[in-house]
Amino acid sequence: MMNRTVAMILNRVADLLEMDGADFRTKAYRRAAHTVEFLPEDIEFVMNEGRLEELPGIGKNIAKKIQEIINTGSLAYYEDLKAMFPVDFEELMSVEGIGPRKIKLFYEKLGVRNLEDLEYAARRHKIQRLKGMGPKTELLILKNVRFARRDTGRKLLGQIMPLGKSLKEEIEKLDTVSKVVVAGSIRRRKETVGDIDLLVVAEDHESVMDHLTGLKVVEEVIAKGPLKSSVRIKGDVEVDLKVFNAESFGAAMVYFTGSKETNVELRRVAISKGLKLNEYGVYRDDTLIAGETEDEVFRALDMDTPEPELRENRGEVDAALRGELPDLVDYTEIRGDLHLHTNWSDGKSKIHEMAKKAVDLGYEYMAVTDHFKSIWMDNGMDERDLEKQLLEIESINEKFEDSMDLCVFSGVEVDIDSEGHLNIESVLLEEIDIVVAALHSGLKQNKYGLTDRIVKVMYNEDVDVLAHPTGRKILEKTGYKLDLERIFQAALDTNTLLEVNADPDRLDLNDVIIREAVDYGCKLVINSNSHSLRDMKNMEMGVATARRGWAESKDIINTLPLKSFKKSLDLN
DNA sequence: GCCGTTTTCGGCCCGACTGTTTTCAGTCG
């Protein structure tokens, strides 16, 4: 699929146009890039069917440019712009406080092309001599160039969410504060998070700001005003806090939950209805008509309230206007976990400990799926271990049959070998309830080879689950290239479940692919892939990801009660 | 450059904070 390349080039064009201050053309290219990036179908296919101009934000001009990119792999217009401003735009933009206009100024007046040039210019005090710049800007640049080098970019949701929670509790301690909410990408449960957004209702604004900037974890105060403050806390995480009155809080939640793209869309909707939307409320002729709750705000716009996880401007605004939002799978609907590692392989806990935790989490069933031995897994089980483990599971089921209300299924996680076979004797699998297959080695094959292996193993009738299907590690590796459509089709043909792995490092499948899979009609299973008791609560991250992929409970097999679950997998 | 249930032309999301100004531009979210 060329989608990513096309979106990337359109975005770069927007970057370069932005330096020229071409405001509206920039926005047009950004919008088109966003459309292509999250298009659920192949852009080349859309082009061949002559439907490019039907896509939102794509008109005659950009359609032509997309054709050129697909046909030639590049875009002359982009190359011309690059020649005009030969700067490392992305690198320079990563310096906080530096935007397109300053990049242009520094390039034209000082020949700055990258971070190194910028730092040199600042050190030699060349910046402060430019019109509109001063010594403070120069100091800011020197400081923030260092931060840009330290790569203080986005961090894992699983890492930041607890921080947000503890800050919320810290602010709540103040008497003057009546409400605190963590908004932003954390509330949308985006897999990576750039900062923490706190929204506060309080009578005395000043004391809230003083409290925040005085917290022990705060390393630097970036900005401090009566309504809004920003600080950097330990671990290079930026925290923004804004104070609102109660009658505006719902509008503030909408606004600061975002995403930015969704906000733009919502304001368009407001304008089309003769209204104005900002973070303080919905206005008709400067009169506040809604703002206290989110529902009230969306109602004033004559639309349903999209769940925060949907707010990425991927069609949810339209769906909400038509009253056709999906009925997302709920966090409380998960009844089992089918991917758990115990101390029989590389896990830390015993089976009965994990079983107890499963009961605590309200599950009706779980599957023990330790690794089977393989080249890369030293402490995987062998045949004899597997037999012994089966006996242990049996005795746990007997022992807890009445008291625990939990069914422990036997299982195993097996490697897919280089030929697309399972790395285990098939006779062993006959006694096992849940077989989880996964790629762990031989990953250097091309897209077709890897897809062949996976599809072949899906046709093995012992296999129930394809685990972490794309093998990605967030912020580390992108995962292997696969022909997803073939995998979806194989999943349909063979009733193989595609896993949504809830490990915060993986979240694999991701939200975008989940949506494609669900549209295709595939069934999913959300698994924690736990290696310890603590990991088991990661299930929440998997559910969040499924929700971001528009999945409903009917798409998720482990929302089924035990009886129907067993039936759907042909288990006794 | 795109778009239309007021429009095929004239709009295009909006406000807070900072630094450099003396009324505003740039950046951020």
Side-chain angles (χ1 to χ4, degrees):
Chain A
M1 298 234 284
M2 290 282 288
N3 297 36
R4 200 168 288 179
T5 312
V6 172
M8 192 270 285
I9 293 183
L10 293 177
N11 257 323
R12 290 275 179 281
V13 169
D15 289 343
L16 292 162
L17 286 174
E18 210 167 351
M19 286 174 45
D20 242 354
D23 199 29
F24 297 116
R25 268 193 304 152
T26 302
K27 281 185 179 141
Y29 276 96
R30 289 241 187 274
R31 189 158 176 229
H34 183 268
T35 296
V36 176
E37 191 174 355
F38 295 104
L39 191 69
E41 47 186 342
D42 193 336
I43 187 76
E44 195 169 347
F45 181 69
V46 177
M47 176 186 81
N48 289 334
E49 291 206 325
R51 290 191 285 114
L52 279 181
E53 286 181 51
E54 289 171 23
L55 300 175
I58 295 176
K60 215 175 186 174
N61 221 304
I62 293 187
K64 231 190 216 164
K65 293 193 167 65
I66 292 176
Q67 280 184 21
E68 185 183 336
I69 297 169
I70 293 174
N71 291 331
T72 70
S74 66
L75 181 66
Y77 180 55
Y78 172 48
E79 299 302 324
D80 292 347
L81 282 169
K82 265 204 297 197
M84 238 168 87
F85 301 109
V87 299
D88 190 334
F89 190 80
E90 214 168 346
E91 188 182 86
L92 289 169
M93 282 292 285
S94 72
V95 181
E96 192 158 346
I98 300 296
R101 308 313 305 275
K102 285 194 181 128
I103 293 175
K104 187 187 180 207
L105 179 74
F106 298 157
Y107 171 68
E108 290 186 333
K109 298 288 181 199
L110 305 170
V112 168
R113 292 174 178 232
N114 51 36
L115 275 190
E116 214 171 313
D117 295 348
L118 181 65
E119 190 174 25
Y120 180 79
R123 280 198 196 291
R124 301 283 300 266
H125 302 300
K126 290 186 173 184
I127 303 282
Q128 60 172 296
R129 290 202 282 270
L130 296 174
K131 192 165 185 285
M133 301 297 119
K136 282 198 171 177
T137 310
E138 204 165 75
L139 276 172
L140 183 91
I141 287 173
L142 283 173
K143 189 184 79 191
N144 286 345
V145 161
R146 284 200 296 277
F147 275 113
R149 287 229 173 83
R150 268 160 64 185
D151 181 29
T152 60
R154 302 188 70 85
K155 297 184 168 61
L156 288 180
L157 174 66
Q159 223 178 331
I160 302 296
M161 223 162 83
L163 274 180
K165 199 172 160 236
S166 68
L167 281 168
K168 172 180 145 85
E169 286 163 1
E170 200 59 52
I171 303 294
E172 273 170 345
K173 284 183 189 163
L174 277 183
D175 288 339
T176 164
V177 168
S178 55
K179 207 182 254 180
V180 185
V181 165
V182 182
S185 46
I186 295 182
R187 183 156 180 252
R188 303 199 312 276
R189 301 291 189 263
K190 201 175 147 114
E191 63 196 32
T192 60
V193 175
D195 58 14
I196 298 174
D197 282 300
L198 297 171
L199 306 183
V200 175
V201 176
E203 285 173 17
D204 176 11
H205 293 196
E206 202 179 336
S207 69
V208 179
M209 296 310 180
D210 287 343
H211 186 61
L212 172 78
T213 55
L215 288 177
K216 246 196 280 172
V217 287
V218 170
E219 291 191 325
E220 187 200 346
V221 178
I222 299 167
K224 188 179 178 187
L227 300 173
K228 185 187 154 183
S229 292
S230 298
V231 298
R232 195 186 326 270
I233 62 169
K234 276 181 191 150
D236 280 338
V237 181
E238 190 176 318
V239 180
D240 297 331
L241 182 147
K242 298 114 194 160
V243 186
F244 291 88
N245 297 324
E247 72 258 25
S248 288
F249 200 64
M253 293 252 289
V254 172
Y255 187 75
F256 287 103
T257 297
S259 62
K260 203 168 128 189
E261 290 80 6
T262 295
N263 286 344
V264 171
E265 208 57 39
L266 289 174
R267 294 194 170 180
R268 260 198 261 278
V269 171
I271 290 168
S272 77
K273 295 182 188 295
L275 304 169
K276 190 177 85 165
L277 171 67
N278 61 25
E279 59 260 57
Y280 301 106
V282 182
Y283 295 83
R284 174 174 283 130
D285 304 328
D286 291 329
T287 310
L288 181 73
I289 61 168
E292 196 168 347
T293 66
E294 280 197 329
D295 285 341
E296 194 185 297
V297 169
F298 284 107
R299 220 169 21 240
L301 298 178
D302 203 16
M303 59 196 288
D304 292 342
T305 303
E307 299 278 3
E309 293 91 333
L310 294 179
R311 300 184 202 168
E312 298 290 347
N313 191 26
R314 298 177 191 163
E316 78 282 4
V317 174
D318 247 10
L321 283 166
R322 292 197 311 267
E324 291 173 7
L325 284 168
D327 181 17
L328 298 183
V329 54
D330 195 81
Y331 290 94
T332 59
E333 284 184 292
I334 299 299
R335 296 177 196 250
D337 192 339
L338 302 188
H339 191 163
L340 299 167
H341 297 276
T342 72
N343 60 353
W344 281 91
S345 65
D346 60 347
K348 290 193 180 71
S349 311
K350 296 175 176 158
I351 298 178
H352 69 86
E353 291 168 337
M354 295 190 106
K356 174 152 189 324
K357 181 77 181 178
V359 171
D360 290 346
L361 289 167
Y363 295 162
E364 296 174 26
Y365 46 92
M366 61 176 252
V368 178
T369 56
D370 278 301
H371 292 282
F372 197 71
K373 64 179 180 183
S374 67
I375 340 165
W376 72 278
M377 167 85 342
D378 289 340
N379 45 358
M381 297 190 295
D382 60 20
E383 291 80 355
R384 205 187 268 170
D385 293 333
L386 198 56
E387 291 292 343
K388 280 198 258 177
Q389 194 194 49
L390 282 175
L391 292 174
E392 184 177 331
I393 290 171
E394 209 171 298
S395 86
I396 286 178
N397 273 325
E398 276 167 19
K399 204 149 101 199
F400 294 126
E401 199 164 16
D402 302 321
S403 59
M404 281 182 87
D405 261 351
L406 180 84
C407 177
V408 181
F409 292 111
S410 61
V412 66
E413 178 176 0
V414 196
D415 282 3
I416 301 171
D417 76 9
S418 57
E419 303 293 318
H421 296 118
L422 285 184
N423 192 27
I424 191 171
E425 297 279 339
S426 60
V427 57
L428 281 169
L429 296 178
E430 282 169 15
E431 295 172 76
I432 292 173
D433 298 318
I434 306 286
V435 176
V436 173
L439 282 181
H440 290 107
S441 54
L443 305 173
K444 294 212 170 109
Q445 270 176 314
N446 64 21
K447 176 173 168 178
Y448 305 101
L450 287 170
T451 305
D452 281 345
R453 275 164 75 189
I454 291 177
V455 167
K456 191 164 172 188
V457 99
M458 289 168 84
Y459 272 93
N460 179 330
E461 58 185 19
D462 290 321
V463 171
D464 300 295
V465 178
L466 177 65
H468 40 77
T470 75
R472 73 155 175 172
K473 285 274 181 76
I474 303 171
L475 302 176
E476 281 175 42
K477 54 183 185 186
T478 55
Y480 13 94
K481 299 252 182 301
L482 295 172
D483 184 342
L484 288 171
E485 205 170 319
R486 276 186 65 206
I487 289 173
F488 295 159
Q489 188 59 51
L492 281 186
D493 293 343
T494 64
N495 290 323
T496 309
L497 301 168
L498 301 178
E499 183 180 72
V500 176
N501 192 295
D503 180 342
D505 278 321
R506 293 186 180 269
L507 298 177
D508 178 12
L509 302 172
N510 71 22
D511 50 1
V512 175
I513 302 178
I514 288 169
R515 188 154 172 206
E516 290 172 40
V518 165
D519 283 347
Y520 213 92
C522 299
K523 293 284 180 230
L524 309 173
V525 55
I526 308 174
N527 286 330
S528 72
N529 193 12
S530 293
H531 290 75
S532 70
L533 295 180
R534 212 173 57 170
D535 289 350
M536 288 176 76
K537 71 169 180 17
N538 286 339
M539 182 63 83
E540 181 191 351
M541 300 286 165
V543 178
T545 306
R547 286 165 64 87
R548 289 176 55 83
W550 295 50
E552 306 191 351
S553 58
K554 67 174 170 51
D555 306 310
I556 313 289
I557 202 96
N558 50 331
T559 61
L560 289 176
L562 178 61
K563 214 169 144 190
S564 17
F565 171 78
K566 280 167 82 168
K567 203 171 152 198
S568 78
L569 259 76
D570 267 335
L571 298 168
N572 300 315

